[in-house]
Amino acid sequence: MKKTWYAHFTFVVLLFVASGIILTGLLPKDRQPSWLTWATKKTVTLGLDLQGGVRLVYSVDVSRALADKRDRMAKDLVDMLKEDRKVEGVKIKKIDVKDFRLVFKSAADMDKLDADIKKNYRRVLSEVERNRDERWIRFSLTGEESEYTENTSYEQAIRTVSNRIDGLGLKETGVTQRGADISIEIPGVDEAALERIKRIISQTAHLEFKIVDDLG
């Protein structure tokens, strides 16, 4: 009997407390107590399906990143040959995004690109072929270096886009990699602001984007 009385009493007390909180929440914001304002200021993040917005899907130009790495490595080899082996006049001929040839003035100069120089690039470049008659050596980016360059391109893309979005003051925005694309979800944005957002996101000096989808 005593336990039943305590249970009823506890229920009534909790009912009064809950009613007081609800009634207090109906007061104007400036008259609400600080503890209630703090407890209610946090909101649940709503996705595009609940509050609308826009999803931008960009494709990262990975080929450009690989070609840039190829060009830097080719130039480094030419510079090292000039500084360390005094080999002048080496020309660079691009084959594809990963491969290039170094063309020498003489076959004797080719021999100066020896194991001591190549070991500095063993994780980045692999020698594919030599042709002494035509005086060239073909190199290619290694599979490990190609994969690293591709991954770095996506990481840089996400970081750059995230920084630009933060600079716009946009809230609850998601930037993620989806396969070969970068997906940007911007909840609650209106059509008037969309073009400005696209323009600012795309203003990146060394990061190539091609927009492939725009879902409102």
Side-chain angles (χ1 to χ4, degrees):
M1 186 69 177
K2 183 179 292 187
K3 290 184 177 179
T4 302
W5 184 87
Y6 278 129
H8 288 174
F9 177 76
T10 302
F11 174 77
V12 171
V13 171
L14 292 176
L15 184 61
F16 273 107
V17 171
S19 300
I21 293 175
I22 293 173
L23 292 173
T24 305
L26 297 177
L27 293 173
K29 289 288 185 181
D30 57 348
R31 297 183 60 186
Q32 291 181 7
S34 58
W35 62 267
L36 183 61
T37 304
W38 175 85
T40 58
K41 70 179 180 180
K42 297 183 179 180
T43 58
V44 177
T45 300
L46 303 178
L48 297 185
D49 53 338
L50 295 178
Q51 63 173 320
V54 66
R55 177 182 292 114
L56 302 175
V57 180
Y58 285 81
S59 177
V60 181
D61 192 350
V62 175
S63 296
R64 173 67 180 275
L66 290 170
D68 287 346
K69 177 60 68 69
R70 173 206 63 196
D71 293 346
R72 289 197 302 273
M73 293 301 99
K75 186 177 184 304
D76 284 351
L77 273 178
V78 171
D79 291 343
M80 182 170 286
L81 281 167
K82 183 177 180 179
E83 293 173 8
D84 295 355
R85 299 294 189 270
K86 310 305 178 187
V87 176
E88 302 281 352
V90 180
K91 303 296 183 183
I92 298 171
K93 183 177 181 180
K94 301 171 185 178
I95 307 299
D96 57 31
V97 295
K98 297 182 182 180
D99 288 31
F100 64 91
R101 289 176 181 171
L102 296 186
V103 183
F104 296 79
K105 285 186 174 181
S106 68
D109 284 342
M110 292 174 57
D111 296 332
K112 295 179 181 180
L113 202 164
D114 52 23
D116 286 341
I117 289 182
K118 287 193 297 181
K119 72 180 181 181
N120 296 313
Y121 299 89
R122 63 183 181 275
R123 294 182 180 178
V124 182
L125 294 174
S126 58
E127 181 177 325
V128 178
E129 184 182 3
R130 286 188 182 221
N131 188 315
R132 293 187 66 83
D133 293 335
E134 297 180 9
R135 306 183 309 281
W136 55 257
I137 304 175
R138 180 172 177 172
F139 288 90
S140 179
L141 295 176
T142 63
E144 179 183 359
E145 184 62 24
S146 297
E147 182 179 359
Y148 171 79
T149 301
E150 292 179 14
N151 292 338
T152 302
S153 298
Y154 285 106
E155 292 171 3
Q156 180 185 355
I158 292 173
R159 183 168 56 251
T160 302
V161 170
S162 296
N163 289 339
R164 290 193 178 277
I165 288 175
D166 290 344
L168 289 171
L170 299 173
K171 304 297 183 183
E172 303 174 3
T173 301
V175 182
T176 57
Q177 180 180 347
R178 293 187 176 182
D181 297 327
I182 299 295
S183 176
I184 308 170
E185 293 188 353
I186 311 174
V189 68
D190 56 35
E191 193 67 28
L194 179 58
E195 291 304 318
R196 176 172 175 265
I197 292 170
K198 287 181 182 179
R199 185 176 66 255
I200 293 177
I201 289 176
S202 300
Q203 289 174 354
T204 310
H206 303 293
L207 196 59
E208 298 292 330
F209 284 100
K210 296 177 289 185
I211 187 166
V212 297
D213 194 15
D214 181 356
L215 302 176

